[in-house]
């Protein structure tokens, strides 16, 4: 089994989900009491959020690069950035290490293509929805990404940071976000990406008006496929 390196803490709520999903998947594949060989570097999310709000993405990248290099020195065979938003600096992190970085957008795109979804709605932080890096990566895979209108983007962003990152799950917020999915379906969307690693705390991808794709679960499964040298993803994980 290869050793998985996780850059987490952004937020720790979703990092806990990663830990659980990865270990559950290893146990399901290998049976018995098998669990994952992994390392976790949990960052102080407030430091990263301050960088995001100030537009200091270079500084945020340095924090992630330091974490990735530390995981590599500690024996990790791959690295995951356990947040969609910070994949804005994934290329910088990837270029600073000598081990594979398993990319959440590429893995999610591969799953969409397997199910012939080409016009998905993205639910994510404002940074992920508006900065263009996510849409650009999806476009390279032939996927035409949809995002909510300005009011919808504000709603999703605020629910993520003010509620989910603090461990708060409100039924009324679920109803309002699900209404965005219904509106997107009416407008021609053919799927929905849970494009923030906390949204799985709020929405069940199997209970939405459109086919749902939980990026957290997809990313975790990709890590296990790499660690077990499995062909679960239908392609070379490296």
């Amino acid at each position: 089994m290869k050793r998985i390196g996780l850059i987490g803490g952004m937020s720790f709520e979703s990092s806990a989900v990663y830990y659980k999903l990865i270990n559950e998947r290893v146990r399901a594949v290998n049976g018995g009491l098998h669990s994952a060989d992994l390392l976790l570097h949990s960052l102080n999310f407030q430091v990263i959020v301050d960088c995001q709000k100030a537009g200091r993405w270079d500084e945020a990248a340095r924090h992630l690069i330091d974490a990735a290099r530390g995981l590599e020195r500690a024996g990790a065979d791959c690295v995951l950035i356990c947040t969609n938003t910070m994949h804005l600096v994934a290329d910088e992190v990837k270029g600073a290490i000598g081990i594979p970085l398993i990319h959440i957008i590429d893995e999610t795109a591969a799953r969409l293509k397997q199910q012939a979804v080409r016009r998905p709605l993205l639910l994510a932080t404002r940074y992920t929805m508006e900065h263009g890096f996510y849409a650009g990566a999806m476009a390279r895979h032939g996927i035409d990404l949809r995002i909510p209108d300005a009011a919808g983007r504000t709603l999703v962003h605020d629910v993520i940071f003010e509620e989910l990152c603090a461990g708060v799950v409100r039924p009324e917020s679920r109803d309002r976000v699900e209404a965005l999915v219904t509106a997107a379906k009416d407008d021609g969307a053919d799927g929905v990406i849970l494009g923030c690693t906390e949204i799985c705390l709020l929405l069940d991808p199997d209970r939405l008006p459109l086919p749902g794709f939980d990026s957290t679960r997809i990313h975790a499964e990709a890590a296990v496929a790499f660690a077990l040298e499995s062909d679960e993803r239908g392609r070379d994980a490296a």
Side-chain angles (χ1 to χ4, degrees):
M1 186 187 303
K2 294 180 181 178
R3 181 170 295 162
I4 300 167
L6 303 178
I7 305 175
M10 301 172 287
S11 68
F12 74 78
E13 297 287 348
S14 65
S15 299
V17 175
Y18 268 94
Y19 185 81
K20 186 172 188 290
L21 289 174
I22 288 171
N23 281 293
E24 285 179 343
R25 183 63 185 162
V26 170
R27 183 173 61 192
V29 173
N30 282 355
L33 296 177
H34 284 282
S35 57
D37 182 350
L38 63 78
L39 301 168
L40 169 64
H41 185 136
S42 187
L43 295 170
N44 180 352
F45 193 29
Q46 186 63 60
V47 172
I48 303 301
V49 169
D50 289 345
C51 290
Q52 292 173 345
K53 289 181 176 179
R56 299 195 305 269
W57 296 100
D58 289 348
E59 182 180 340
R62 286 195 292 273
H63 289 292
L64 270 67
I65 288 169
D66 288 346
R69 286 173 170 166
L71 291 168
E72 183 176 17
R73 289 194 300 269
D77 294 301
C78 68
V79 166
L80 282 72
I81 300 172
C82 298
T83 162
N84 281 273
T85 295
M86 292 313 299
H87 275 72
L88 192 152
V89 299
D91 287 347
E92 290 90 327
V93 176
K94 180 179 179 179
I97 56 178
I99 56 177
L101 184 146
I102 298 177
H103 200 291
I104 197 169
I105 305 176
D106 291 338
E107 297 299 335
T108 302
R111 190 70 60 89
L112 290 165
K113 290 163 72 175
Q114 285 173 6
Q115 298 193 28
V117 172
R118 291 293 185 269
R119 301 179 306 279
L121 173 71
L122 174 65
L123 299 176
T125 67
R126 184 183 302 281
Y127 310 114
T128 304
M129 291 186 286
E130 295 181 354
H131 269 254
F133 73 97
Y134 201 106
M138 283 289 174
R140 289 192 289 274
H141 291 278
I143 295 169
D144 180 17
L145 201 66
R146 311 294 178 89
I147 61 173
D149 62 15
R153 296 196 298 274
T154 296
L155 167 64
V156 177
H157 183 88
D158 289 349
V159 167
I160 291 167
F161 277 99
E162 296 175 12
E163 299 174 23
L164 302 179
C165 287
V168 176
V169 179
R170 294 187 172 130
E172 59 269 27
S173 295
R174 179 181 296 111
D175 292 343
R176 295 175 70 194
V177 175
E178 285 183 350
L180 296 177
V181 179
T182 299
K185 180 181 180 180
D186 294 341
D187 199 37
D190 60 357
V192 57
I193 302 169
L194 309 190
C196 169
T197 52
E198 285 83 17
I199 292 184
C200 60
L201 302 173
L202 183 72
L203 300 179
D204 181 343
D206 297 325
R207 294 178 176 271
L208 294 171
L210 288 168
F213 298 83
D214 178 3
S215 63
T216 306
R217 181 174 292 276
I218 292 167
H219 205 199
E221 290 175 352
V224 174
F226 177 90
L228 300 182
E229 298 186 316
S230 166
D231 63 353
E232 290 177 86
R233 291 178 290 166
R235 60 191 179 83
D236 182 358

